[in-house]
Amino acid sequence: MDNAALQQYIEQQQTRYIEELKEFLRISSISTSPQHANDVYQCAEWLAHAAKAVGLENVQIFPTEGHPVVYGDYIHAGDNAPTVLFYGHYDVQPTDPLNLWTNPPFEPTVRDGKIYARGAVDDKGQVFMQLKALEIHTKVIRELPVNVKVLIEGEEEIGSVHLEKFLREKLHMLAADTVLISDTAMFADEVPSICYGLRGLCYMEIEVTGPNRDLHSGVFGGAVANPANALAKILAALTDSYGRITIPGFYDDVIPLTDEEREQYRSLPHNEEEYCRELEIPATDGEFGYSTLEKTSARPSLDVNGLWGGYTGEGAKTVLPSKAYAKVSMRLVPNQNPQDIAHKFEKYVVQIAPPTVRVRVRALHGGRPVITPTRSKGIQAAMRAMEQAFGKKPFLTREGGSIPIVLLFQDILNAPVVLMGVGLNTENPHSPDEHFTLKNLYRGILASALFYKELASIWHSDKY
Ligand SMILES: [Zn+2]
């Protein structure tokens, strides 16, 4: 079947697709809320049924200590063909504030070419899209040129608490050459993109101690060091006037952007004025010599996330506080290591702290940055598939946040991850009136169906 025939087939199925997707969206699988535990289970059952209906085999609901995992596979392409593991999640975020929804969150409604419901884009709609792509291979083309395994969990919105254990226990069952995830957004509508890099995180807390108790600032102020003043000096010294982070060795492991990458960044649509206007800021900030898109995804950053100490209530209290605190997070890029950065941060903060106070630094949380080689066959296949389905070449982008499961898959299954999402950040994931643009659902089904075909065709090529 050529692409035009596939497109026509997808077009003919639209009514059925919407009815089936609505069934999925009607189940209130809110993973964080104990009252919905039964709904989450029902959703797993619905999904297992849907997986069987599209022709997947060995479909099973695996219990975990939390919500179950649904698994199914279709392994008929032989040992020489690549194996793809598709990952998605069927649980959803809570729905409050309910009064801001135009229609109730579990009564899916189609308006203006979009389907509205909790989970429409994150991630039920995109899981559904992948199942329908598989259905095209198993039921219509009647051939799937790669081996496919499908793993859909019910705890993504609560931090995938039991996924790591599950991956480790089922290593053999889940072994794959490439992991495919459709749970991210495109750069913008009509700007298809594939994300190949995510930033990591190093989260620290600083505690500055001055005198052994809060003091009267009239009696002691001027002679006794104020920990809040000292903390302000420390924080101010963490970056310089060029927006560079001053911690010695901080940039040692940063992989510089290549000319090719910078060229990609320049070609992405971005309007600096609009960006500032939307945020109501006078101007953007940060590291000199880099664009806003580069600064928010491919360069490290340092932010104070919280700052407290002394008197913060209404009115005035003339206190010289005993303690002051700050929470500081750093977004990291490849190949920075969170432990190494935490160590350098601590050393530097202790070093620059005034000798008149005592400083304690604690590392609270960390995560490594991720980058997938853009020449990997998975990404190349996704690029080709997206180009055909969306009618334009997708951009390769990096995102500023982290997706911890990506690291889990890379570390445990030792397989590169392809983030082929077709959502939009403007579709209100996690917010009232979440929706999914139907034209992107249909193009996503085509792109996902073509992904398998493209992957099979380049798998044994030496070009990549
Ligand atoms: Zn999600």
Side-chain angles (χ1 to χ4, degrees):
M1 256 174 124
D2 62 11
N3 289 0
L6 284 177
Q7 219 154 6
Q8 198 189 6
Y9 169 80
I10 292 169
E11 228 172 272
Q12 287 160 353
Q13 305 303 311
Q14 289 180 2
T15 318
R16 174 174 71 94
Y17 286 161
I18 290 176
E19 284 320 304
E20 289 179 14
L21 177 57
K22 277 183 173 173
E23 279 180 30
F24 193 12
L25 293 173
R26 271 187 207 113
I27 311 169
S28 47
S29 49
I30 304 172
S31 50
T32 192
S33 118
Q35 307 93 280
H36 286 93
N38 199 34
D39 298 318
V40 177
Y41 192 79
Q42 265 192 14
C43 199
E45 280 188 323
W46 185 92
L47 200 55
H49 182 79
K52 279 181 205 156
V54 303
L56 290 182
E57 299 164 349
N58 301 310
V59 174
Q60 267 192 78
I61 298 176
F62 287 97
T64 71
E65 279 158 49
H67 300 302
V69 169
V70 180
Y71 173 85
D73 58 33
Y74 196 86
I75 301 178
H76 296 287
D79 290 344
N80 269 332
T83 299
V84 176
L85 174 72
F86 168 69
Y87 162 89
H89 64 93
Y90 65 86
D91 64 320
V92 299
Q93 283 274 320
T95 53
D96 49 299
L98 262 179
N99 60 324
L100 293 183
W101 286 80
T102 310
N103 289 93
F106 296 110
E107 290 175 27
T109 318
V110 173
R111 284 198 309 275
D112 308 326
K114 296 161 186 153
I115 186 157
Y116 286 80
R118 170 57 83 232
V121 63
D122 179 18
D123 184 31
K124 286 177 175 174
Q126 300 201 65
V127 165
F128 181 79
M129 163 186 107
Q130 289 293 344
L131 290 179
K132 293 298 116 174
L134 289 170
E135 184 181 69
I136 287 175
H137 283 286
T138 56
K139 306 273 175 177
V140 186
I141 308 176
R142 295 184 175 278
E143 198 202 347
L144 184 54
V146 301
N147 300 310
V148 175
K149 299 174 176 179
V150 172
L151 164 71
I152 303 169
E153 72 153 323
E155 297 191 314
E156 196 274 344
E157 301 293 3
I158 49 172
S160 301
V161 244
H162 299 99
L163 189 67
E164 178 169 352
K165 190 165 171 239
F166 184 78
L167 294 184
R168 290 193 193 282
E169 280 172 8
K170 304 283 179 200
L171 259 185
H172 182 71
M173 181 181 90
L174 299 172
D177 299 296
T178 295
V179 177
L180 174 67
I181 301 181
S182 296
D183 193 19
T184 47
M186 299 191 290
F187 186 80
D189 199 17
E190 301 300 331
V191 188
S193 60
I194 288 163
C195 173
Y196 71 97
L198 299 160
R199 291 200 289 186
L201 183 71
C202 175
Y203 202 116
M204 309 294 291
E205 189 176 289
I206 307 174
E207 178 189 320
V208 182
T209 308
N212 60 3
R213 60 190 188 275
D214 284 5
L215 301 176
H216 188 303
S217 69
V219 177
F220 294 96
V224 176
N226 181 324
N229 296 25
L231 179 59
K233 282 183 194 154
I234 294 169
L235 295 175
L238 294 176
T239 48
D240 66 16
S241 53
Y242 295 97
R244 299 258 309 172
I245 294 155
T246 50
I247 300 166
F250 184 83
Y251 292 94
D252 281 0
D253 297 319
V254 171
I255 303 177
L257 281 161
T258 61
D259 291 345
E260 203 184 333
E261 284 179 301
R262 301 202 77 179
E263 193 49 53
Q264 276 274 336
Y265 271 104
R266 271 191 290 275
S267 61
L268 279 166
H270 171 78
N271 183 327
E272 191 77 0
E273 267 170 54
E274 222 169 82
Y275 185 86
C276 292
R277 195 176 328 122
E278 207 265 320
L279 296 171
E280 298 184 31
I281 52 173
T284 51
D285 193 31
E287 194 180 1
F288 184 77
Y290 292 93
S291 71
T292 295
L293 293 177
E294 289 170 338
K295 284 187 281 201
T296 53
S297 63
R299 298 295 299 173
S301 58
L302 182 148
D303 279 289
V304 176
N305 302 110
L307 192 57
W308 70 103
Y311 181 67
T312 54
E314 213 180 311
K317 181 187 177 199
T318 48
V319 64
L320 193 163
S322 165
K323 282 180 186 289
Y325 301 85
K327 289 186 190 284
V328 177
S329 72
M330 289 158 281
R331 292 285 173 177
L332 310 181
V333 300
N335 279 330
Q336 288 177 300
N337 174 300
Q339 278 98 32
D340 173 58
I341 294 295
H343 180 72
K344 287 173 174 163
F345 179 94
E346 178 177 1
K347 204 172 148 199
Y348 185 56
V349 167
V350 169
Q351 182 202 321
I352 61 174
T356 48
V357 293
R358 278 157 294 152
V359 174
R360 210 170 68 121
V361 179
R362 279 200 304 152
L364 295 186
H365 175 59
R368 279 178 293 134
V370 187
I371 201 151
T372 310
T374 53
R375 299 223 168 269
S376 81
K377 288 177 174 161
I379 292 214
Q380 290 300 322
M383 295 279 287
R384 289 164 169 231
M386 292 275 275
E387 180 168 359
Q388 293 167 64
F390 286 81
K392 54 188 91 162
K393 209 171 170 211
F395 288 94
L396 281 166
T397 56
R398 295 208 210 173
E399 276 178 29
S402 334
I403 308 180
I405 43 156
V406 171
L407 276 169
L408 272 188
F409 284 117
Q410 288 199 344
D411 289 354
I412 300 174
L413 299 183
N414 199 17
V417 173
V418 179
L419 295 168
M420 195 171 94
V422 300
L424 297 172
N425 286 328
T426 51
E427 290 176 328
N428 300 339
H430 296 203
S431 303
D433 276 352
E434 176 178 350
H435 58 276
F436 190 17
T437 306
L438 289 169
K439 67 170 190 227
N440 292 337
L441 165 67
Y442 305 136
R443 291 190 288 197
I445 294 173
L446 180 60
S448 309
L450 293 174
F451 170 76
Y452 296 118
K453 201 176 123 195
E454 291 297 339
L455 186 67
S457 85
I458 64 172
W459 192 251
H460 295 290
S461 140
D462 302 327
K463 242 184 90 190
Y464 301 101

